[in-house]
Amino acid sequence: MAQDAEITTIEGLASPEGELHPLQAAFVERDALQCGYCTPGQICSAAAMLDEAAAGWPSAASASLTGPVTLDPAEIRERMSGNLCRCGAYVNILAAIADVYRETP
Amino acid sequence: VRPFGYLVPPDPAAAIAAVTGRPGAAFLAGGTNLVDLMKLGVAAPDLLVDVTGLLPGRIEPVPGGGLRIGAGVRNSDLGADPRVRAGFPVLAQAVLAGASGQLRNMATVGGNLLQRTRCLYFQDVTKPCNKRAPGSGCPARAGDHRNLAILGGSPQCVATHPVPGTPSSTRRTGPPTYGRCPRSSPGGRSDRSTRRRRWPCRACSP
């Protein structure tokens, strides 16, 4: 089903020297986890979601299908929907992603 | 899930040969419907024939202003395609309103057309269902049926087909996580048969 696909896991996001990916650093800074079970998926989804938004992909929360994408909180919630966190760290996950989005050139 | 075989045929002819005369065989692409049904016990194929690599995966313009969409195109790619967004916005909106990003990444257009009904009773093997077990009855007629047929149903079945773009399919069916859980709102459902299907929020955590 995903034969020969290129896959980046959470282990592939940090630099080989061990410097955290901006999303990893933001999750630490914002305390965006409790047990950590969902964190690899949350961060990988966020990384892909930021790339998709930068490429202009709309979501169900977008005002326009063809306009530029601005990731407001509603957009981030919609695009991260499906990533479940039973600890309920959603508020801080949202803040961490918004931090990285704001700092992305 | 019952044990099953898994086959990746090299070409379409081999895929067809693999299922010919084998009623227990099923084609597999994104797996977002079939695998769910296997976990639920609704489907129990003895052989999965993975056709992911064989399906056409391109969106091409055709004379007259239309688009030909390959059966293997992923829902994510369909919803993001600039030609679909600009020329067929209802289709893009319908796809983006369905499921979550991870599911859209896996789900294929062909699988969307071929998926089974999302009727809760069809998906619950502890309940009667004329579609799954003909003659056993249809609890949906008196039960949880707000996703089901208003027009075109019958006394035997009110299941709808969940193809994107049909009214019953454009309502979000994935578990609400960052949004509001329907059960946390006044009038939210708590029917036993739906409890398993709606992800618990703080208000309805078991």
Side-chain angles (χ1 to χ4, degrees):
Chain A
M1 291 163 67
Q3 186 75 27
D4 299 324
E6 183 179 317
I7 295 172
T8 300
T9 65
I10 189 71
E11 290 82 3
L13 285 179
S15 77
E17 293 74 36
E19 186 186 350
L20 293 181
H21 184 279
L23 280 165
Q24 292 173 308
F27 269 58
V28 173
E29 175 67 25
R30 285 287 192 166
D31 197 20
L33 58 132
Q34 184 174 319
C35 81
Y37 189 87
C38 73
T39 310
Q42 299 279 1
I43 292 178
C44 287
S45 288
M49 180 269 279
L50 291 173
D51 287 347
E52 290 166 3
W57 286 28
S59 82
S62 302
S64 160
L65 286 173
T66 51
V69 173
T70 301
L71 291 183
D72 58 23
E75 277 273 19
I76 295 175
R77 286 192 179 95
E78 166 61 24
R79 290 166 188 264
M80 289 295 290
S81 176
N83 291 279
L84 309 183
C85 172
R86 287 306 305 268
C87 300
Y90 297 118
V91 173
N92 293 353
I93 293 171
L94 180 64
I97 296 170
D99 283 354
V100 175
Y101 173 67
R102 271 195 299 274
E103 293 159 10
T104 303
Chain B
V1 176
R2 294 190 206 161
F4 58 88
Y6 175 76
L7 177 71
V8 183
D11 53 54
I16 293 167
V19 303
T20 301
R22 189 160 179 174
F27 289 128
L28 175 73
T32 56
N33 186 225
L34 177 59
V35 175
D36 281 357
L37 295 177
M38 290 169 67
K39 291 177 183 173
L40 294 169
V42 174
D46 60 20
L47 176 67
L48 293 182
V49 180
D50 187 342
V51 294
T52 311
L54 303 178
L55 298 174
R58 292 171 55 184
I59 302 174
E60 302 167 318
V62 296
L67 293 174
R68 177 182 287 114
I69 301 166
V73 171
R74 306 285 179 170
N75 274 17
S76 291
D77 295 322
L78 181 66
D81 189 284
R83 296 162 297 182
V84 175
R85 285 192 269 147
F88 304 88
V90 170
L91 182 57
Q93 287 173 348
V95 166
L96 292 172
S100 62
Q102 286 91 338
L103 286 167
R104 291 193 293 270
N105 287 344
M106 291 303 295
T108 62
V109 172
N112 253 307
L113 295 173
L114 293 170
Q115 68 180 303
R116 305 305 306 273
T117 180
R118 300 281 172 172
C119 176
L120 293 169
Y121 301 95
F122 175 78
Q123 295 179 323
D124 184 347
V125 295
T126 68
K127 300 287 195 299
C129 169
N130 282 329
K131 184 178 281 292
R132 179 168 31 75
S136 61
C138 176
R141 286 180 57 80
D144 188 322
H145 54 214
R146 63 179 182 155
N147 286 344
L148 303 179
I150 296 171
L151 305 173
S154 75
Q156 287 75 40
C157 183
V158 288
T160 46
H161 192 283
V163 165
T166 60
S168 65
S169 70
T170 52
R171 198 181 70 82
R172 171 172 300 285
T173 54
T177 52
Y178 288 81
R180 283 180 68 181
C181 172
R183 291 185 59 209
S184 67
S185 58
R189 303 291 187 100
S190 61
D191 177 81
R192 180 187 296 274
S193 67
T194 65
R195 184 168 298 149
R196 192 158 50 89
R197 309 300 301 164
R198 303 247 168 79
W199 203 264
C201 66
R202 185 183 295 271
C204 61
S205 190

